[in-house]
């Protein structure tokens, strides 16, 4: 596998403090902070480029099945990747990334930063809003960005990503909490006085000049602008519709590469090319037909054989047969290799599951470091990954939480090789696992823990291969540590709202979780674990391991958890020296690993696909929503072979 290096823009704010940028080049599946349970994402056989249907004068219509329906089209409030795909394709951002991961102009044509006032200024191009028929509605103005942020900062609209503005945009958190607590005190006794929105650090200087004033130096700010939190919306429509915004295709306007011309829940979703888009010449697919079918994973491959869809995932259960069959072997390629998502096994320190799974017994066990270390070293992640990627599973396995090749300092040093993270090796070690198990047995028995410790390990039945991966982990870990020591209980969770009903609700003991980067900086990988301190304890934040519980309840893991929180706090304060900042975050991440508070697993596994898209033509960034966009891709007249995929990758 060829691995490309993407140089980080993490210090853009500091290094480009007073430089105007025109056409700036810069550098460079499960939900939370914008993620879902899964993030799954030409040339002919002779090597010659084949013409796409659009090039022959016929409209290019791309078709695929999908099995998970959107609950909302409102990109300003969603934290679900499936739903973010709508915003990604239908709403343009100030900046965007090309297929090589290079920052470039979007709706903004130039920008500059004033270090003294911590203010970014963006000059906007001429652009249009259209409705769900493609008819022009209004001009895109700077006020649309202001109104969209005000909407997201309004508590009654319940934005799932609004926290990304806190501590970044001046007075954003103060404005939000002033409304949320009506000028009163929160649960920690903090009094939040009302703040007028005029004090929030977003301003429309004129129709085509937008400013953001930051609460503090934010070295990754430019990269965060490709995320949904900073997308615009047409202000008059937001005011008119309120909570109804984004509840149907005709209840939102569009300024991006596509508009949503049809949304029939559990039937179809149709994206139509927006010919009024400023960059319409670089949109090569005229229509995208997304057809709902709950059996998409099963039916998709069969429909590929009949030429009825243009893309489908080829599951591990079908892959060998497809590759061995002359009729299908040249239809198989892969999705693009990506470091935008990381998967890890979480220990739940605040179990809320049923009594039959012995939550109090689990709480004692999980607070014991030797117990956690036993599991940390017992899970053979290569075997688990091999369920979905049987050929090269080792390419995807992680020894850190932050993926390799995600971020680099200015001198090209990979963050995961710095400081306390340097030289990390594979965590699977049978001898170490047994050693820690034996130590844990003695300590836990003295605390009255009963054996085997029950370990509830749920999965979403809608996610392909997750059940099989859980079974592999169960069999492998119990065989190594002994079924008299641990009893891993693999159980299917609900297919609907799995994250809300299971992960965020704490109804698991040990589970594969994940996170996708929102911006290009190691800080983004602290979100699943970090909690800030309030008067009454830790606030939970977006953490779904509930680490703060170990501190507030004086659990044995408390000191290690607090050390991690404190080191994250210290790292956040370093904003102008990338090397020092990265080394500080590396120290914090090392605490998670050294105390086995979480077990790193793998980056997103490239799906085996049958597709008529060259996946390397699309926008790319190891964060945000760039990879969800169809802009820049051509619809080919054939399914891409593995040979063609590799040639495209190595260009």
């Amino acid at each position: 596998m060829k691995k490309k290096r993407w140089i980080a823009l993490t210090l853009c704010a500091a290094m480009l403090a007073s430089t105007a940028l025109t056409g700036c080049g810069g550098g460079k599946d499960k939900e939370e902070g914008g993620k879902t349970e899964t993030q799954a994402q030409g040339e002919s056989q002779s090597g010659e480029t084949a013409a796409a249907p659009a090039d022959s004068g016929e409209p290019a219509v791309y078709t695929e099945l999908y099995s998970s329906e959107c609950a909302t089209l409102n990109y300003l409030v969603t934290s679900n990747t499936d739903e973010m795909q709508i915003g990604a394709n239908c709403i343009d951002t100030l900046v965007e990334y090309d297929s090589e991961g290079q920052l470039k102009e979007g709706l903004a044509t130039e920008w500059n930063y004033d270090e003294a006032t911590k203010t970014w200024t963006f000059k906007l191009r001429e652009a249009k809003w259209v409705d769900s028929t493609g008819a022009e509605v209004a001009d895109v103005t700077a006020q649309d960005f202001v109104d969209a942020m005000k909407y997201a900062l309004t508590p009654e609209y319940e934005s799932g990503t609004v926290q990304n503005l806190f501590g970044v945009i001046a007075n954003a958190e103060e404005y939000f909490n002033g409304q949320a607590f009506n000028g009163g005190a929160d649960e920690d006794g903090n009094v939040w006085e009302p703040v007028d929105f005029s004090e929030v650090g977003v301003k429309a200087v004129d129709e085509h000049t937008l400013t953001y004033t930051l609460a503090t130096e934010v070295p990754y700010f430019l990269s965060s602008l490709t995320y949904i939190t900073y997308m615009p919306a047409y202000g008059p429509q937001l005011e008119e519709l309120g909570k109804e915004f984004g509840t149907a295709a005709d209840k939102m306007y569009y300024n991006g590469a596509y508009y949503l011309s049809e949304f029939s829940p559990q039937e179809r979703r149709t994206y139509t090319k927006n010919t009024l888009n400023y960059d319409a010449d670089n949109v090569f697919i005229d229509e995208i037909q997304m057809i709902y079918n709950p059996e998409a994973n099963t039916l998709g491959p069969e429909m590929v054989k009949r030429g009825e869809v243009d893309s489908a995932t080829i599951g591990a259960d079908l892959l060998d047969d497809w590759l061995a069959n002359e009729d299908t072997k040249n239809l198989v390629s892969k999705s693009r290799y990506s470091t935008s998502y990381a998967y890890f096994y979480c220990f739940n320190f605040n179990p809320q599951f049923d009594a039959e799974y012995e939550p109090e017994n689990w709480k004692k066990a999980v607070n014991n470091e030797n117990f956690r270390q036993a599991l940390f070293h017992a899970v053979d992640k290569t075997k688990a990954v091999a369920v979905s990627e049987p050929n090269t599973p080792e390419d995807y396995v992680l020894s850190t939480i932050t993926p390799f090749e995600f971020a680099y300092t200015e001198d090209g040093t990979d963050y995961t090789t710095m400081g306390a993270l340097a030289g990390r090796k594979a965590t699977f070690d049978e001898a170490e696992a047994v050693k820690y198990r034996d130590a844990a047995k003695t300590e836990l028995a003295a605390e009255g823990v009963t054996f085997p410790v029950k370990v509830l390990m749920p999965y979403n039945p809608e996610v392909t291969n997750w059940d099989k991966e859980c079974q592999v982990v169960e069999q492998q870990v119990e065989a190594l540590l002994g079924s008299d020591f641990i009893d891993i209980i693999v159980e299917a969770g609900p297919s609907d709202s799995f994250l809300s009903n299971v992960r965020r609700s704490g109804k698991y003991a040990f589970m594969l979780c994940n996170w996708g980067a929102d911006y290009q900086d190691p800080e983004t990988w602290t979100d699943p674990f970090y909690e800030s301190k309030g008067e009454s304890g830790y606030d939970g934040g977006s953490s779904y391991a509930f680490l703060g519980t170990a501190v507030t309840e004086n659990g044995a893991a408390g000191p290690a958890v607090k050390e991690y929180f404190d080191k994250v706090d210290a790292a956040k304060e370093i904003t102008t020296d990338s090397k020092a900042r990265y080394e500080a975050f590396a120290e914090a991440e090392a605490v998670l690993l050294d105390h086995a508070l979480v077990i790193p697993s793998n980056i997103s596994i490239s799906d085996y696909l049958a597709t008529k898209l060259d996946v390397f033509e699309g926008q790319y960034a190891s964060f945000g929503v760039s990879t969800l966009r169809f802009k820049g891709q051509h619809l080919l007249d054939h399914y891409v072979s593995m040979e063609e995929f590799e040639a495209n990758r190595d260009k």
Side-chain angles (χ1 to χ4, degrees), residues 265-329:
Q266 297 190 334
E267 289 184 22
R268 70 174 57 240
R269 191 187 310 161
T270 303
Y271 299 89
T272 300
K273 178 178 176 177
N274 178 10
T275 57
L276 296 182
N277 182 258
Y278 79 90
D279 205 18
D281 287 347
N282 288 314
V283 179
F284 306 113
I285 299 176
D286 298 290
E287 186 173 278
I288 301 164
Q289 288 278 358
M290 310 289 286
I291 302 170
Y292 176 80
N293 193 303
E295 302 299 323
N297 291 330
T298 300
L299 296 179
E302 290 303 312
M303 294 178 73
V304 163
K305 290 180 181 179
R306 299 192 296 267
E308 295 174 346
V309 295
D310 298 307
S311 187
T313 300
I314 309 304
D317 55 335
L318 298 176
L319 183 60
D320 287 344
D321 288 341
W322 273 58
L323 292 177
N325 191 311
E326 287 295 324
D327 294 332
T328 54
K329 68 178 184 180

Side-chain angles (χ1 to χ4, degrees), residues 77-103:
V77 303
T78 186
S79 59
N80 179 292
T81 300
D82 287 342
E83 295 163 359
M84 286 183 189
Q85 186 182 57
I86 293 162
N89 285 287
C90 297
I91 305 296
D92 277 338
T93 48
L94 290 168
V95 298
E96 58 186 49
Y97 287 83
D98 66 15
S99 62
E100 294 295 321
Q102 300 298 310
L103 185 76

Side-chain angles (χ1 to χ4, degrees), residues 70-306:
C70 295
T72 181
L73 311 180
N74 188 346
Y75 53 92
L76 296 178
V77 303
T78 186
S79 59
N80 179 292
T81 300
D82 287 342
E83 295 163 359
M84 286 183 189
Q85 186 182 57
I86 293 162
N89 285 287
C90 297
I91 305 296
D92 277 338
T93 48
L94 290 168
V95 298
E96 58 186 49
Y97 287 83
D98 66 15
S99 62
E100 294 295 321
Q102 300 298 310
L103 185 76
K104 67 174 190 175
E105 298 173 1
L107 286 175
T109 58
E110 57 182 275
W111 48 90
N112 63 72
Y113 179 69
D114 181 68
E115 188 172 8
T117 62
K118 300 185 182 68
T119 299
W120 283 93
T121 301
F122 295 86
K123 294 293 185 180
L124 275 58
R125 67 172 78 245
E126 298 284 342
K128 301 291 184 182
W129 289 108
V130 302
D131 63 17
S132 60
T133 70
E136 180 180 340
V137 174
D139 293 332
V140 176
T141 68
Q143 188 63 36
D144 296 324
F145 289 86
V146 178
D147 292 339
M149 185 169 290
K150 184 177 182 180
Y151 185 96
L153 286 169
T154 301
E156 69 174 292
Y157 298 140
E158 301 178 325
S159 169
T161 58
V162 68
Q163 69 278 359
N164 288 351
L165 300 172
F166 297 170
V168 176
I169 300 299
N171 289 319
E173 183 173 11
E174 289 78 1
Y175 175 78
F176 179 88
N177 285 328
Q179 295 179 92
F181 299 105
N182 297 312
D186 61 21
E187 60 271 18
D188 294 324
N190 300 312
V191 177
W192 295 93
E193 298 291 348
V195 173
D196 191 82
F197 187 75
S198 63
E199 298 181 54
V200 177
V202 57
K203 300 285 185 295
V205 178
D206 57 45
E207 283 196 350
H208 294 95
T209 306
L210 173 70
T211 64
Y212 290 112
T213 299
L214 307 183
T216 186
E217 293 285 356
V218 182
Y220 53 80
F221 185 70
L222 275 182
S223 69
S224 68
L225 296 177
T226 61
Y227 192 48
I228 60 167
T229 314
Y230 293 93
M231 286 181 176
Y234 186 53
Q237 188 183 46
L238 289 177
E239 184 176 0
E240 176 191 353
L241 295 178
K243 278 193 172 183
E244 292 299 305
F245 177 77
T247 55
D250 62 357
K251 292 188 181 296
M252 58 188 290
Y253 293 147
Y254 311 87
N255 70 354
Y258 295 91
Y259 58 89
L260 199 61
S261 57
E262 179 182 5
F263 176 64
S264 300
Q266 297 190 334
E267 289 184 22
R268 70 174 57 240
R269 191 187 310 161
T270 303
Y271 299 89
T272 300
K273 178 178 176 177
N274 178 10
T275 57
L276 296 182
N277 182 258
Y278 79 90
D279 205 18
D281 287 347
N282 288 314
V283 179
F284 306 113
I285 299 176
D286 298 290
E287 186 173 278
I288 301 164
Q289 288 278 358
M290 310 289 286
I291 302 170
Y292 176 80
N293 193 303
E295 302 299 323
N297 291 330
T298 300
L299 296 179
E302 290 303 312
M303 294 178 73
V304 163
K305 290 180 181 179
R306 299 192 296 267

